[in-house]
Structure formats: structure tokens, C-alpha cells
Amino acid sequence: MTSETIDAAAAGSWTLGDLSVRRVGLGAMRLTGSAAFHLGTPRTREGAIAVLRRAVELGVNHIDTAAFYFSSLRSANELINSALGGPYPDDLVIVTKVGPHREYSGEWGTAARPDQLRGQVEENLRQLGRDHLDVVNLRRMRQDSIAEHFGALAELREAGLVRHLGVSAVEPRHLAEARAIAPVVCVQNQYGLRGPDPAADEMLRLCGEQGLAFVPFYAIAGEAGPQGASTAHDEELLAVARAHDATPAQIRLAWTLNQGPHVLAIPGTGNPDHLAENVAAGALRLTGEEMARLNAVHRGEASRQSGTNGFI
């Protein structure tokens, strides 16, 4: 499908609290290198900045990032600030996350304590050059209860450092726990066309019922996660891709968006061609029959075969 002239508005919009965002956004994790974090090889600074500016030109107004998105040479937040700050576009919504901790060496440290979350928020503010953060997700790091951590973020929201709050990598009980403390505008969990995942399906349903944005990560990458995108595709997916003259990655994104109007996509890339293709996926309209075939794949009722052209 032709992608260069398709705008992010084709996917429609949703609100994060009082902030309207296009349903296809940009994940900043892969701006720093060919793979996330300290994996792969660093990207050029000029190339990453060009991708960010092109994203805005294509109508993207939702960027997902974090202070721990950095490689040996690049910081995603610093790239965003350099490319789009001074001043930022009025409608641009930057969503960050806190909880995990990485040392400057790139190694992962222990999860932040509740009293350390203010420091993580302030580091995001410093790197992005902002006086407040639009949305901050608390990424759960295996703790049984998130009440103390989320309560610390709620205090920062009351202090004006954060506008809206979300949660990530959570179960329904954690969402209920958070909502009892402060308003939640989004849930960011792993989800995609990759086989049966009843727990993820349940969270998707709950968010729809409660009017919250559901923001899946690794929707294209699948099991490959931060290493890169899946290149294993079911024959049903490949057949749908051929019917639309689209890549398997675009079909994965279109299927994800079709799960409900509250679903937002944040595919990451440092490649301008992939960026345009990801945005264009928001204009794909799958038929009822195609959705049924892909839903069967999601339920594990179709065999997986080898394919290519996957990316995030």
C-alpha cells in the first residue's frame, strides 16, 4: 500500500484524560539503536532526529519514551528534546514511564523505591526540557502491590509535576488498586497477534469497559521484544497482507487497532520508511472475514510459518 502521504489522523483519535492523541503514535525505544537499550548498534543522531520530525509531519502527536531508553551513544529523551523542543508542538503528548532503573553502564539495577520515583520524574523533566510531564506510567516490576509506588506518583500529580497517570505491566487487581488512589488514563501492557494470551485479552476488555486507553507494547515485535521484530508469521496473516499489498507488520498493527477504539499503537522505529508504513497501517480496513481469520491465529488455531518484513 502507498504510505508516504497517509496521515496519522486516518487511524482516528482517543483521549488520555483531557489530551487528544492519534491512535497511531511513536515508541521512542528504537530511536537510539538498531535494537533497544544497549543492544544492537547506535543510530546516527541526525537520522533519529529526522524520524522524530517526520513523525510530527505525518500527524503523530503521541510519543512514548522513558529516561531509561538509552544506548551507549544516544538518549531517546534528549533526541526528542533536540528534535521537537523549543517549543514543542502544542498538541504533542509525550508519555513517559518510571519504575525500572538502569545504570549509566546500561546494566539494569533494582526497581526504584517509592521515594525514588520523584527523582526519576525529575530526570525525565530535565532530559525533555519540560516543566511537567503529560502522562507518566508506573511500570510494575514484579511487586505484588503497587499502592505505595502509585501513591508516590499521585503526590507528584497533585504537586503539578505530572498531568495524568497510567500503569504498565499490570493485572486487573493492580489497576483497581491504582484507580482507588488517583485517576488512571491508560494501561500499557504487552499485547499483539502472537498466540493465546487470556490475561492480556481480559485487560483489553476491562480498559474498554472503563473508558481507559489500552496501549500495547511489542505489538509488532511479538516474542522478540527489545531485540527486534518477529519474522515468524502465520500463513493466514501473510495471506491477508498479500490481499492488501501490505507488510505483515502493517497487518499486525491494523489487527491490534481493530480490537477497539480505545486501543492505541506505539510502534517504535528509527527508520523513516518503516515509520511511514506504521502510520499508514492506521488507514488499513480489515474485513470481518479477515478479522475472523486473524482472531483464529490469536487464539492459537492456525499454524505458524516463516515470513519476513516484520519490524517495530
Side-chain angles (χ1 to χ4, degrees):
M1 63 182 297
T2 302
S3 59
E4 283 298 325
T5 59
I6 296 178
D7 189 275
S13 299
W14 188 259
T15 57
L16 297 173
D18 60 346
L19 304 172
S20 178
V21 296
R22 272 59 183 270
R23 293 181 61 219
V24 175
L26 173 66
M29 187 173 66
R30 298 184 192 281
L31 288 173
T32 64
S34 60
F37 310 125
H38 58 291
L39 309 172
T41 57
R43 297 193 188 278
T44 67
R45 176 179 172 80
E46 295 75 14
I49 286 177
V51 165
L52 284 160
R53 290 175 176 165
R54 181 60 178 151
V56 171
E57 290 173 358
L58 290 172
V60 170
N61 68 346
H62 172 200
I63 296 178
D64 178 84
T65 187
F68 54 84
Y69 285 176
F70 63 86
S71 67
S72 59
L73 294 179
R74 309 279 176 254
S75 156
N77 280 354
E78 189 277 328
L79 290 167
I80 292 168
N81 189 358
S82 295
L84 305 174
Y88 285 99
D90 290 340
D91 68 338
L92 181 65
V93 176
I94 299 178
V95 178
T96 60
K97 62 187 70 65
V98 296
H101 170 71
R102 286 180 74 204
E103 304 291 343
Y104 288 120
S105 65
E107 297 304 309
W108 292 98
T110 57
R113 300 187 309 268
D115 63 302
Q116 294 175 315
L117 292 179
R118 183 184 183 107
Q120 289 195 342
V121 166
E122 289 179 343
E123 181 65 6
N124 277 282
L125 288 169
R126 184 190 68 78
Q127 292 177 2
L128 290 167
R130 307 197 74 170
D131 60 6
H132 74 278
L133 299 176
D134 296 324
V135 183
V136 172
N137 284 312
L138 172 66
R139 172 67 62 85
R140 183 175 73 94
M141 301 296 291
R142 295 183 296 278
Q143 60 262 48
D144 185 60
S145 170
I146 64 170
E148 193 174 355
H149 286 79
F150 196 77
L153 289 184
E155 292 178 2
L156 298 180
R157 175 177 172 270
E158 290 296 322
L161 295 182
V162 178
R163 191 164 179 177
H164 298 293
L165 298 175
V167 289
S168 178
V170 295
E171 301 170 13
R173 62 191 177 93
H174 302 118
L175 175 58
E177 199 174 33
R179 295 189 76 201
I181 296 170
V184 173
V185 301
C186 57
V187 172
Q188 190 178 100
N189 276 17
Q190 185 167 353
Y191 186 81
L193 186 58
R194 59 189 184 93
D197 193 343
D201 291 336
E202 174 68 4
M203 185 59 76
L204 169 71
R205 182 187 65 80
L206 283 176
C207 287
E209 291 178 352
Q210 297 175 16
L212 307 178
F214 182 77
V215 190
F217 58 86
Y218 298 154
I220 297 177
E223 299 297 339
Q227 292 280 359
S230 173
T231 56
H233 306 296
D234 296 272
E235 181 54 41
E236 294 286 359
L237 187 152
L238 294 171
V240 174
R242 287 192 294 268
H244 288 269
D245 191 23
T247 67
Q250 288 178 311
I251 298 302
R252 288 181 183 274
L253 278 178
W255 176 87
T256 302
L257 292 169
N258 264 278
Q259 299 309 304
H262 64 299
V263 178
L264 309 180
I266 48 169
T269 185
N271 181 306
D273 294 332
H274 291 173
L275 167 70
E277 290 177 355
N278 289 342
V279 170
L284 279 170
R285 299 295 179 258
L286 302 178
T287 68
E289 178 187 3
E290 289 170 336
M291 283 299 297
R293 293 164 65 186
L294 296 174
N295 287 340
V297 173
H298 181 61
R299 294 192 298 268
E301 299 169 1
S303 62
R304 175 162 290 183
Q305 298 188 8
S306 177
T308 57
N309 295 329
F311 48 78
I312 185 168

